[in-house]
Amino acid sequence: MSTRVELDNSPILLAARVARAFGNAHRLAYAQITPELTIANVSTNFHAIISNPANADDPVEGRRLDDIFYEFSGTEDTLDMIMQGGLPFFRLEDVNRVRPDGETVYLMFQISPLSDAQPEAGLLLIVEDVTEPAIMRQSLTQERNELRLVRNRLKAANTDLGRLNRLKSFIVTMAAHDLRSPLTTIRSYADILAEDLKGQVENDYIEFLMTIRSQSDRLSRLITDLLDLDMIEQGGLSLKPEPTDMRDVVQEAYDLMAPNAVLHRLTLTNEFATEPVIVNGDGQRISQVLVNLISNAIKYTPEGGRVHVTLGEKDGHAVTTIIDTGNGMTEQQLHKLFQVYYRTEEARESSIVGSGLGLFIVKTLVEAHKGYIKVNSKRGEGTRFAVYIPLASESEAT
Amino acid sequence: MTNKILVVDDDLVVRRLLKVILEADGYDVTTAKDGAEALDKMRESRPDLVCCDLMMPEIDGFGVIEAMRNDDNLKAVPLIAITAAGRNSYIERALELGANECVLKPFAKNQLLSIVSDVLHEAQLT
């Protein structure tokens, strides 16, 4: 039989009932401490909460407080002050005990006067099992540490990426430099030979030399594309806008590509505005856009086809169109056309060389001019690219 | 009178190419393989024009331009910077330092010849 006495009106029983009412009985236990600091009455869950395996066979009642909880050693003066009303309460936090099953429980002890009116009634000890919040706090701390670790790793990875990016930039720039010198030589000697040998050798040979020349031009455009892509990625795309007559720009791109059309046995035709078409733009960059689009049209149009280039004005924009009689594209291909590194399946499987960079750069350059590109394409019929760049008069007005 | 042009490039093949192109157009061409040799040669015999690569070991093209512009005897000698650099900043820097023109590699033969003749013409007017 239990030696515990629970009087109906004892404050301990009252407190235990309150705890039960609030659903806290599993984590709140109570004990009455005599003025001599021995444990008197305890609530029925006391042994369970403090993880005393002995319970009934080894009752805590009648034992000294600091005998059961060594944490109270040396607190006599403090406890005396509480009894005299000099302190409202005394608290011990994060006391831990290992349960018989090996789990650690965390307890919080709070001691306050049992009765304000009667110091001789002794003290009320409330023991709260704070294992759940403690574990939560612990795991929060752990998570915080892990997050800190992850953040540090991310920071380091970011630094590495920045370094790699700068290295990539450096390599692209260096490679471009080292590729351009030999290209200059190849192109120029092909030029010199074609000029000097004209009329002295078969026309086929002159055409071979022109092919060497146009292919080195293409390689050099690819190098420019790589440098431009790098520049765009580094956020350093810079334009030198000035009033520019689009007729000059389109004509320049057209003339540059005309020999290419001959090589591909295509008809290249044009229809340019007769009045000036002035935009506020970087002529070199716009020319680059048009060369890219015309060169694409030539590349992807079979022999005997036609590429038609026009320049006009519409809705406050200079409009350059490049229309080809090539194979056209599907909806799906059109959708991805301007993505970086995108190449259509046919382009990849055919012998047509390309990097998938050109149209991405074209789009970026046109957008940098506050313009846009429209593409219409039909399988088997051909493709029409239209480049819209705001007229200088318009952009000044806005 | 034949115009004397000094070609400076660390790449032998490019040096030869420039010599072939310029000599075919009637110029008297000497070459130097780096900035130091170029400065020595132009101090020995003042050229009418210098065609100079920008990226070279030791004294690079920028160093050549600076040295020329700080040399009373070479101050007025026009210079065309020839570069394969992909950065606009190189070109801008060369022009700021006192290059008269910049030609990007790869260049077309006729483009180079017309720039050479323009720069020489301008220099002889002033």
Side-chain angles (χ1 to χ4, degrees), chain B residues 8-56:
Chain B
V8 195
D9 200 308
D10 56 331
D11 187 335
L12 169 73
V13 181
V14 176
R15 268 199 318 273
R16 272 197 196 145
L17 169 72
L18 285 166
K19 196 168 153 74
V20 166
I21 292 176
L22 293 168
E23 278 181 350
D25 217 48
Y27 297 107
D28 178 4
V29 181
T30 42
T31 60
K33 64 178 187 313
D34 55 51
E37 191 187 341
L39 289 168
D40 283 348
K41 283 198 171 171
M42 61 180 100
R43 279 172 183 143
E44 219 167 83
S45 163
R46 189 178 183 273
D48 298 302
L49 173 71
V50 176
C51 289
C52 186
D53 186 26
L54 285 180
M55 286 156 104
M56 293 182 296

Side-chain angles (χ1 to χ4, degrees), chain A residues 50-69:
Chain A
I50 66 165
S51 299
N52 177 8
N55 59 58
D57 300 330
D58 187 12
V60 296
E61 283 101 331
R63 309 260 305 262
R64 279 189 60 83
L65 179 63
D66 55 6
D67 190 16
I68 300 297
F69 306 112

Side-chain angles (χ1 to χ4, degrees), chain A residues 28-238:
Chain A
L28 283 174
Y30 305 90
Q32 183 182 353
I33 312 294
T34 65
E36 293 74 36
L37 302 186
T38 57
I39 299 171
N41 294 313
V42 297
S43 60
T44 43
N45 61 354
F46 193 82
H47 287 83
I49 296 254
I50 66 165
S51 299
N52 177 8
N55 59 58
D57 300 330
D58 187 12
V60 296
E61 283 101 331
R63 309 260 305 262
R64 279 189 60 83
L65 179 63
D66 55 6
D67 190 16
I68 300 297
F69 306 112
Y70 67 89
E71 286 87 356
F72 282 101
S73 314
T75 61
E76 291 86 354
D77 290 347
T78 313
L79 297 180
D80 205 44
M81 269 175 78
I82 292 170
M83 243 176 305
Q84 304 308 322
L87 258 183
F89 62 85
F90 173 70
R91 198 177 270 177
L92 277 176
E93 294 189 44
D94 277 340
V95 175
N96 58 65
R97 289 287 182 276
V98 179
R99 271 198 331 226
D101 63 6
E103 292 285 326
T104 304
V105 290
Y106 294 84
L107 303 173
M108 188 190 81
F109 293 175
Q110 180 173 313
I111 288 190
S112 51
L114 195 55
S115 157
D116 288 339
Q118 301 166 276
E120 68 279 8
L123 299 162
L124 170 66
L125 167 65
I126 304 172
V127 183
E128 185 178 359
D129 182 341
V130 291
T131 307
E132 260 178 58
I135 283 175
M136 219 182 283
R137 211 165 41 236
Q138 250 183 3
S139 71
L140 271 178
T141 310
Q142 204 176 336
E143 266 171 45
R144 205 166 47 225
N145 287 342
E146 277 166 16
L147 273 176
R148 200 172 290 148
L149 202 71
V150 169
R151 200 179 55 202
N152 287 343
R153 280 199 197 126
L154 273 176
K155 234 191 226 166
N158 212 16
T159 313
D160 279 351
L161 273 178
R163 204 167 30 229
L164 277 176
N165 200 24
R166 280 193 298 279
L167 181 67
K168 184 208 72 180
S169 254
F170 178 73
I171 290 172
V172 166
T173 313
M174 281 302 119
H177 177 263
D178 289 348
L179 288 170
R180 272 174 168 167
S181 283
L183 269 177
T184 310
T185 323
I186 293 169
R187 184 193 196 283
S188 298
Y189 280 129
D191 247 6
I192 294 171
L193 281 178
E195 242 173 67
D196 290 359
L197 295 180
K198 210 164 199 167
Q200 298 181 41
V201 296
E202 280 177 55
N203 273 342
D204 276 359
Y205 290 127
I206 302 296
E207 198 174 285
F208 295 164
L209 288 167
M210 296 316 285
T211 307
I212 292 177
R213 183 195 147 154
S214 75
Q215 293 300 297
S216 21
D217 280 351
R218 223 176 64 209
L219 272 179
S220 104
R221 279 202 300 279
L222 175 60
I223 294 168
T224 308
D225 280 357
L226 282 171
L227 286 168
D228 283 349
L229 180 71
D230 184 57
M231 202 156 74
I232 292 167
E233 279 179 351
Q234 309 294 323
L237 179 70
S238 65

